[in-house]
Amino acid sequence: MAERRIDRDRLDQPRVERRTLRPHLDPEAFGQWTERIARFLGTGRYLVIQSVIIVLWLVENLIPGIYHFDPYPLGFLTLVLSLQASYAAPLILLAQNRQDDRDRVNLDADRDEARQSKADLDYLAREIAAIRMALGEVATRDFLRSELARAERERERERDDEREDAAD
């Protein structure tokens, strides 16, 4: 009898994705890409580059005697800046959402660490209290010295009393 091989999904290995005609978009890679763009949009370099491009655009389209590629002065510039803004805003929001997620995870980890530290501190406080209570029942060095001194004084009194009785 021939053994039949049954392919089963293994739970200890990641599932192999099927090949499809749909493009696969890795959310992590896309998120990293949006963060890079948002980080670049917030730099001085970007502001300088954008300002230089706008100035060149204005000079090229407003100086007479030069070919104007924009038949309606500044119309195309307005469209380009609006398009840039319409894409920049969601990319920045996506980057902020990812940062919020990271902050939330870090906050949860900090809370767990604080809870653990508090539990450890409570345990140590209880242990110190138990040690203090146990030490309350143990004879200390000062207590032993005072008891020895008291016993020595009593012995000297007894000797003095014996000497007085012997002398009488």
Side-chain angles (χ1 to χ4, degrees):
M1 179 167 166
E3 288 185 28
R4 277 183 26 186
R5 184 174 172 208
I6 300 172
D7 290 329
R8 294 183 181 168
D9 289 339
R10 293 189 58 183
L11 298 177
D12 62 337
Q13 294 180 354
R15 178 181 257 175
V16 178
E17 295 197 21
R18 297 179 187 167
R19 294 178 185 239
T20 63
L21 296 177
R22 291 185 310 194
H24 175 70
L25 181 63
D26 182 18
E28 185 64 24
F30 185 73
Q32 290 173 355
W33 179 73
T34 60
E35 285 178 345
R36 280 194 303 259
I37 290 175
R39 205 171 292 122
F40 177 68
L41 291 177
T43 62
R45 175 185 288 172
Y46 171 75
L47 291 174
V48 168
I49 291 170
Q50 185 176 15
S51 298
V52 167
I53 289 172
I54 289 173
V55 166
L56 290 175
W57 192 304
L58 290 174
V59 166
E60 196 280 328
N61 280 300
L62 294 179
I63 294 181
I66 302 177
Y67 169 74
H68 303 295
F69 66 87
D70 189 1
Y72 302 100
L74 309 179
F76 190 49
L77 176 63
T78 304
L79 176 66
V80 168
L81 291 176
S82 296
L83 185 64
Q84 181 259 339
S86 70
Y87 275 98
L91 290 175
I92 291 170
L93 289 174
L94 283 172
Q96 283 180 338
N97 288 341
R98 285 176 51 86
Q99 184 63 42
D100 288 344
D101 291 343
R102 277 194 300 273
D103 290 345
R104 192 175 304 110
V105 168
N106 289 337
L107 183 61
D108 289 342
D110 289 346
R111 282 185 184 145
D112 290 342
E113 185 177 338
R115 257 188 232 112
Q116 184 62 42
S117 295
K118 185 178 184 313
D120 291 345
L121 187 63
D122 289 344
Y123 171 75
L124 290 174
R126 285 192 305 273
E127 288 296 313
I128 289 173
I131 290 171
R132 283 184 178 167
M133 289 172 58
L135 282 178
E137 298 168 1
V138 174
T140 62
R141 181 175 45 184
D142 293 337
F143 174 74
L144 288 176
R145 283 184 183 164
S146 67
E147 287 298 308
L148 287 173
R150 187 180 58 77
E152 191 175 327
R153 284 192 305 270
E154 285 181 14
R155 192 177 326 166
E156 285 180 17
R157 270 193 232 128
E158 288 176 5
R159 281 188 210 153
D160 289 342
D161 289 343
E162 287 176 8
R163 284 184 200 150
E164 286 178 8
D165 286 342
D168 287 335

